[in-house]
Amino acid sequence: MAAYLIADVDVHNTAAFEEYRRDVPATEARYGGRYLGRGGATKVLEGDWEPHRLVIIEFPDMQSLMAWYESPEYARLKAIREGCASTRIIALEGVLPSN
């Protein structure tokens, strides 16, 4: 069952964030991740939410998502991101429709 990483990234240092933005897609792809949305325009339809840079990545399953998130190759990039941005991230397991 697919799993989705959803992140709201508030970048404080654009120059430092560039290395993360450039290098992270290759690490995700190794675990079957693919972007569904990345940094596009947003429009809040309900609620009190001010998104910054939203990212949605689909993985084959939660195990693949967590393997990527906890991987050594992502650890280096995660440290870069944490130094130049504030981020809220959730992992969402997809739900199959019931018949």
Side-chain angles (χ1 to χ4, degrees):
M1 174 178 327
Y4 304 91
L5 180 131
I6 303 168
D8 183 2
V9 184
D10 185 7
V11 178
H12 306 296
N13 181 334
T14 305
F17 188 75
E18 181 58 27
E19 180 179 0
Y20 176 86
R21 189 193 66 72
R22 181 191 67 229
D23 293 350
V24 76
T27 67
E28 296 159 347
R30 287 185 204 124
Y31 293 85
R34 69 181 187 103
Y35 285 98
L36 299 181
R38 182 181 184 198
T42 61
K43 182 173 182 158
V44 175
L45 301 179
E46 293 187 25
D48 184 20
W49 185 20
E50 295 180 29
H52 298 89
R53 184 180 201 288
L54 287 180
V55 177
I56 303 172
I57 307 165
E58 180 183 52
F59 286 86
D61 49 43
M62 188 65 78
Q63 182 178 356
S64 299
L65 186 158
M66 293 308 300
W68 165 75
Y69 186 76
E70 296 170 346
S71 70
E73 61 266 39
Y74 181 61
R76 179 185 72 81
L77 296 171
K78 182 180 175 189
I80 292 170
R81 177 182 48 77
E82 290 174 338
C84 64
S86 300
T87 310
R88 295 185 296 171
I89 299 175
I90 64 169
L92 169 68
E93 190 168 56
V95 177
L96 297 174
S98 58
N99 294 338

